[in-house]
Each structure stands twice: as C-alpha cells, then as structure tokens.
Amino acid sequence: MVEQWSDEWSEESELVFSTSFSDPVYLPHDQVTQVIPIIQEAIINARKHSSATRVQIKGWHENDLIKITIEDNGKGFTPEQLSTQEEGHFGLKIMRARAARFGGKLQIDSEPEGGTVITLSWLLGHDNLRRKDDLYRTILHP
C-alpha cells in the first residue's frame, strides 16, 4: 500500500521516494485509518515546506513494537521556528493526535539544513503482526 502510494506521488512531484520494510505487518482497520494519514502528512510537509528532493520511508518491527520513519533531505527546522509559525499550520499537531488515538508516539527530529526524520512507533500484539483476515490490512511490505 505505501509503496504503491509513494510511486504515485513520485510521478506527481519532484520528490524521489524510497521505501524499505522488514516484513509484512497487518494492522487493524482503526490503525490503518490513522497511520496512512500520518505518513501522507509527513510527505505533504516535505513537499510544501522543506524543499526536499528525497523522501525515505522505512518500516520494521521489533517483537511487538512497530516503527515507521519518514525521512526527508529538506531544509529542516528548529522547535522555535514551529512555535512562531503563522496560525493554520496544524499538520504536526494533527499527526501527534492521530498517533495518540491508537497509543502511538510521534518523534520529530530536525535541524536547519539537516532534513527531518519523523518516527511513528507503537505496540501491536504479536499475534496481530501476521494476522490475515477481513479486519486487518497490510500497509508494510518487504
């Protein structure tokens, strides 16, 4: 799902995407509906605000912990820059709120001229990592 989606975005923009996933991970629908918009918002931010030319999306799991990183090579920012932005820039706040809805954590690492790395992590029961049925969808493919 993420690979197909990033291919479409590559065709529509100047961004070069790469994706890397360790194993397929099957997520409950309620998590998919939060995770995909978080990834999309990170890419939108890279396109609109960072002047990035490359975005790398990685996903893996360590036992029950799932991690997804979205990294760009854009101009980066400092926390102070975020706090002084105009009203209407709510993307990062919304991403954090979406992650919190399913117990996830969003970490943002950025520095001027150093790009940005957004890490989404959350616990998922081990049985769910490979569960395949109508209630679960995979968004991460190796």
Side-chain angles (χ1 to χ4, degrees), residues 13-117:
S13 71
E14 301 281 326
L15 288 174
V16 175
F17 286 88
S18 63
T19 57
S20 169
F21 301 108
S22 61
D23 294 313
V25 174
Y26 295 87
L27 303 177
H29 179 74
D30 65 319
Q31 290 182 8
V32 171
T33 59
Q34 302 302 322
V35 171
I36 292 298
I38 291 170
I39 295 170
Q40 289 173 330
E41 183 65 29
I43 293 169
I44 288 168
N45 288 343
R47 286 178 62 188
K48 287 175 65 174
H49 304 296
S50 79
S51 302
T53 59
R54 179 182 45 80
V55 173
Q56 183 174 35
I57 304 168
K58 294 181 184 178
W60 68 96
H61 63 88
E62 301 163 354
N63 298 317
D64 293 351
L65 180 67
I66 297 176
K67 288 189 177 185
I68 298 174
T69 61
I70 306 98
E71 180 176 357
D72 71 54
N73 67 341
K75 61 185 178 183
F77 56 87
T78 65
E80 294 80 28
Q81 288 172 305
L82 287 182
S83 63
T84 60
Q85 283 185 345
E86 302 172 20
E87 290 295 320
H89 291 278
F90 300 108
L92 295 175
K93 288 180 184 177
I94 293 170
M95 291 166 69
R96 287 186 194 279
R98 284 186 176 279
R101 288 179 189 156
F102 61 92
K105 293 182 182 174
L106 197 73
Q107 178 178 332
I108 301 166
D109 297 304
S110 188
E111 58 184 58
E113 305 309 320
T116 300
V117 179

